[in-house]
Structure formats: structure tokens, C-alpha cells
Amino acid sequence: MLFFLAMMGVLGYFMLYRPMQKEKKQRQELIESLGKGDKVVTAGGIHGVIVETGKKDTAVVEIAKNTRITINKGSLSVVNPKGAGGSKPDAKDKDSSKDHTKEPAEDSKPASGAKKKAAAS
């Protein structure tokens, strides 16, 4: 019985505690590596570019031209380093961003007689 209890403890350590510690360490390294020019998204969904890293745990993020905010580095949810792509849409994305909505064809509209019959029922 004691053996099974010890096995459950070891299993819990390797399944729960250890992965959380690894993730925490990776996040801390990411926050420490932030630098000027990195594109970020805050936990609140604000997109911007880091223009300066402040003392210890703050950063100044430019969210629009001449609009800068100071944020806590811990509130960042996504970081795209300045060397990483993804900021420019592909040619496919440009075509897909157009509004392709069309009026439904006349055939797909119910006949006016069908409306009258439904209303009469």
C-alpha cells in the first residue's frame, strides 16, 4: 500500500509539477529577453512594438504613431521577436481580406406565393 502511495506521488511530480516549472522558466527567459523592436500582444489584447525596456519589469510599447504606454512585462501574452516574420500579410491573405459577400440569387429566395401560404396556415 505504501509503495502505491509513493508511486502516485512520483507520478504527480512528473505529470504536474515538473512541466509547470519548465513552462514558468521558459516564460521568465522570454520576458528577460525582451528588447527594442519586438512585437508584442498584452493580456488585454493590445498590439504594439517595444520601443524601450524600463527598469526591471516594465516596457514602453508603441501602439500607434506617437502613442506609447508603459506596461508590466508580466502582462505580455505573445512576443514576436524582431527577426521573426508574420507582420506582413501574404498575397493569399490580401485576396481573402476582400469582402466577397454577394446578394443571394433570386432562385434561392422563396416565392412570394410560399410566403402567403405560410402566413395563411
Side-chain angles (χ1 to χ4, degrees):
M1 180 70 177
L2 187 60
F3 174 73
F4 289 114
L5 186 59
M7 288 303 294
M8 291 299 290
V10 170
L11 184 65
Y13 173 77
F14 284 106
M15 296 286 291
L16 300 172
Y17 184 73
R18 193 162 183 234
M20 287 178 13
Q21 291 300 318
K22 278 185 171 181
E23 187 176 316
K24 185 178 177 183
K25 184 179 178 183
Q26 287 176 343
R27 178 152 175 79
Q28 186 64 32
E29 289 173 359
L30 178 71
I31 288 173
E32 289 173 359
S33 70
L34 289 174
K36 187 175 180 179
D38 290 345
K39 294 181 181 182
V40 295
V41 179
T42 67
I46 299 173
H47 294 247
V49 177
I50 295 179
V51 291
E52 138 186 5
T53 54
K55 300 174 188 164
K56 197 171 180 175
D57 64 345
T58 61
V60 178
V61 177
E62 186 171 52
I63 56 176
K65 188 175 181 180
N66 296 326
T67 305
R68 295 179 178 190
I69 58 174
T70 303
I71 61 164
N72 186 348
K73 289 180 185 178
S75 70
L76 297 175
S77 59
V78 178
V79 177
N80 295 324
K82 52 189 159 197
S87 62
K88 296 180 182 176
D90 296 334
K92 294 178 189 175
D93 294 339
K94 288 181 182 176
D95 292 338
S96 65
S97 65
K98 293 180 183 175
D99 187 17
H100 293 291
T101 57
K102 295 181 181 177
E103 291 294 321
E106 287 295 321
D107 304 14
S108 64
K109 292 182 181 177
S112 60
K115 287 182 187 176
K116 289 179 185 177
K117 287 180 186 177
S121 298

